[in-house]
Amino acid sequence: MLHFKTSLNYFVFLQSKLSKTLPGKFMKYFPSDYFQYKNNELYCEGVSLKSIAGKFGTPVYVYSKKFFADRYLEFANAFKSINHKIFFAAKSNFNLNVIKIFYDLGSGIDVNSLGELYRALKIGADPQRLLLTGVGKTKDEIKAGIELGVLMIKAESLHEVYLINRIAGDLGKKAQVALRVNPDVDPQTHPYISTGLAENKFGISAADAMEIYIECSKLKNIEISGVDMHIGSQITSITPYLEAVSKMIGLIENLKTAGITINHFDIGGGMGVLYNDEELFTPLQLAEKLIPLFKQIDCDIFFEPGRFLTANGGALVAEVLYLKENMNKNFIVVDAAMNDLLRPSIYNAYHHTQPVIKNNNEDIIADIVGPVCESGDFIAKNRVISKLEQGDLLAVLSAGAYGMVMASNYNARRRAPEIIIDKDKFFLTRSRESYEHLLWDEQIISNLHS
Ligand code: LLP
């Protein structure tokens, strides 16, 4: 028995039913080694999500350590035949223990701000395993990078290079610098996360690159030794990589002819992952296509994967607060909101949802929404899901990347705790914020009210 409020809903229902049965879709990937049902209860590795929700409340982020380790090793193995280094993009999940899992496996860390740098130092990272990136680094960020001696500062404009040169001079040091070059290729992804088109704010234009490198090579306090690119995120085709890498190899060869030696080529991150029905490529398939190109140049190859390493290793568990029907729609109101997981609201991103306790209820089509006072506050739209009851738990999957890191305190909501599961053990790595945390250093100024 099904409830269909409108024929449009019926159409959406048919589409999503169909998509569940096609090969290569999320349901084929789920259950996985990391999130699966045991006796009708959803587990992360060996720990039941119900027990986590019972101990720590909801909403709560849960991560699988094994997922992170497996993906890191999959990536590293794919490129093992060439000299390469992986720098985990901490922006995708900057939980200290998540960063440390990758670091301990041999990864470096790509940090995008003083805040991420601070986190990397907190886990005891060697600055020589850090890349400092970012389109608008402040003087303080550059100064910290140089003083600490990070492996590479990646500059995105000539103005920035001049500033790095000046700060390095003041500190009596030589800074290691790479230029981020914008190859002007279309990564065919969401416009908000496309970064390698000429119209995007990132990097220096490929057309100006030679001239800028030559100018940089004259500066005394920097050593310009790298070419860097990052064309976008959630990329589902190898073609844009091939196009961009070929362009950059041409640049590296021209630089060599001009007497500028490039020691490393950083191709950034961007590998897409399965959220719904994407056709994807594996690290091995990427390696098969790229390694022959890399062999044309004598450089170390750097990678900065984020999402690939983390996305499908995390779930956000929420509790159903209310069920309601407004006009033509069913709504499932849960206690997780856009402040916990922003991706659906700003990219219309799809996140698969599963009841934590499997039920045999009829399927309904519903919007899964949060308590924040915005219509844009939703986890899923027109989702076919077995009917849930008040108090049921819902797992929002693929939430390990760009989930907690993009969380906010909107509506004065406390950010969720983060739990890492390692086989049958669970670890609280960050507690739920308290209301006192939310008031940190904020005071009533009596003079203002006198
Ligand atoms: N390197 C640089 C310079 C980057 O800007 C990024 C991501 C990465 C590496 C890692 O990219 P990944 O492998 O994770 O695709 N908030 C968006 C994603 C923004 C990505 C920003 N840069 C989302 O939720 O989809």
Side-chain angles (χ1 to χ4, degrees), residues 89 91 110 193 230 233 269-270 304 306-307 343 347 402 406:
K91 60 175 74 72
D110 167 38
I193 52 176
H230 169 76
S233 200
E304 302 164 3
R307 188 190 314 265
R343 303 193 70 257
Y347 314 119
Y402 305 108
M406 290 169 74

Side-chain angles (χ1 to χ4, degrees), residues 128-430:
Q128 278 292 298
R129 285 169 66 181
L130 303 181
L131 301 180
L132 180 57
T133 66
V135 72
K137 290 180 223 66
T138 63
K139 284 187 194 125
D140 285 348
E141 281 167 338
I142 293 170
K143 190 163 173 240
I146 298 173
E147 272 178 337
L148 284 164
V150 297
L151 182 66
M152 198 62 53
I153 301 181
K154 302 191 301 172
E156 302 219 10
S157 66
L158 191 52
H159 273 140
E160 187 186 344
V161 179
Y162 287 145
L163 182 62
I164 298 171
N165 184 57
R166 209 161 56 237
I167 296 174
D170 292 346
L171 294 170
K173 298 207 172 187
K174 197 154 194 158
Q176 298 297 318
V177 174
L179 278 179
R180 176 165 174 181
V181 182
N182 184 328
D184 192 18
V185 299
D186 184 358
Q188 292 149 22
T189 184
H190 190 289
Y192 287 9
I193 52 176
S194 156
T195 53
L197 278 167
E199 69 205 48
N200 298 134
K201 68 179 174 180
F202 298 96
I204 57 164
S205 130
D208 303 334
M210 266 311 274
E211 214 179 310
I212 296 180
Y213 269 94
I214 289 168
E215 170 66 11
C216 292
S217 67
K218 295 177 191 153
L219 302 174
K220 283 206 307 279
N221 308 314
I222 65 165
E223 191 172 317
I224 188 104
S225 57
V227 167
D228 175 63
M229 67 175 221
H230 169 76
I231 55 175
S233 200
Q234 184 57 10
I235 299 169
T236 54
S237 153
I238 294 181
T239 313
Y241 280 106
L242 287 177
E243 211 183 308
V245 165
S246 303
K247 278 193 183 178
M248 293 302 99
I249 285 178
L251 171 66
I252 291 169
E253 280 165 347
N254 290 341
L255 287 169
K256 194 173 173 189
T257 312
I260 299 171
T261 308
I262 295 300
N263 300 325
H264 83 264
F265 173 27
D266 181 339
I267 74 155
M271 258 191 76
V273 302
L274 200 61
Y275 287 101
N276 184 13
D277 58 1
E278 300 85 351
E279 293 299 328
L280 297 166
F281 57 90
T282 63
L284 203 57
Q285 287 166 331
L286 184 66
E288 275 163 9
K289 295 280 187 203
L290 290 185
I291 287 176
L293 297 181
F294 292 149
K295 286 195 169 150
Q296 295 171 25
I297 46 170
D298 185 20
C299 280
D300 276 0
I301 305 299
F302 290 4
F303 300 97
E304 302 164 3
R307 188 190 314 265
F308 175 78
L309 299 179
T310 50
N312 279 312
L316 174 65
V317 181
E319 185 182 312
V320 174
L321 299 176
Y322 304 102
L323 302 162
K324 59 194 239 175
E325 293 176 11
N326 275 2
M327 289 290 285
N328 285 328
K329 273 189 166 247
N330 294 312
F331 290 93
I332 300 173
V333 185
V334 297
D335 62 1
M338 65 190 290
N339 77 294
D340 300 299
L341 181 66
L342 187 58
R343 303 193 70 257
S345 300
I346 62 169
Y347 314 119
N348 208 13
Y350 179 98
H351 281 260
H352 197 70
T353 48
Q354 287 289 136
V356 167
I357 307 294
K358 230 185 210 169
N359 61 41
N360 292 320
N361 296 348
E362 63 198 352
D363 278 351
I364 60 162
I365 303 163
D367 282 10
I368 303 172
V369 300
V372 160
C373 51
E374 302 229 11
S375 295
D377 175 27
F378 61 89
I379 300 286
K381 290 251 183 201
N382 292 317
R383 186 62 52 88
V384 177
I385 187 157
S386 55
K387 198 167 179 203
L388 296 164
E389 309 291 342
Q390 211 170 19
D392 282 352
L393 296 171
L394 182 78
V396 184
L397 301 178
S398 315
Y402 305 108
M404 183 62 181
V405 290
M406 290 169 74
S408 77
N409 296 119
Y410 188 35
N411 277 198
R413 285 169 53 85
R414 298 169 299 164
R415 280 178 298 170
E418 294 179 289
I419 316 292
I420 300 186
I421 310 289
D422 182 14
K423 303 187 187 77
D424 56 358
K425 294 198 179 64
F426 60 84
F427 300 89
L428 172 66
T429 65
R430 189 180 191 280

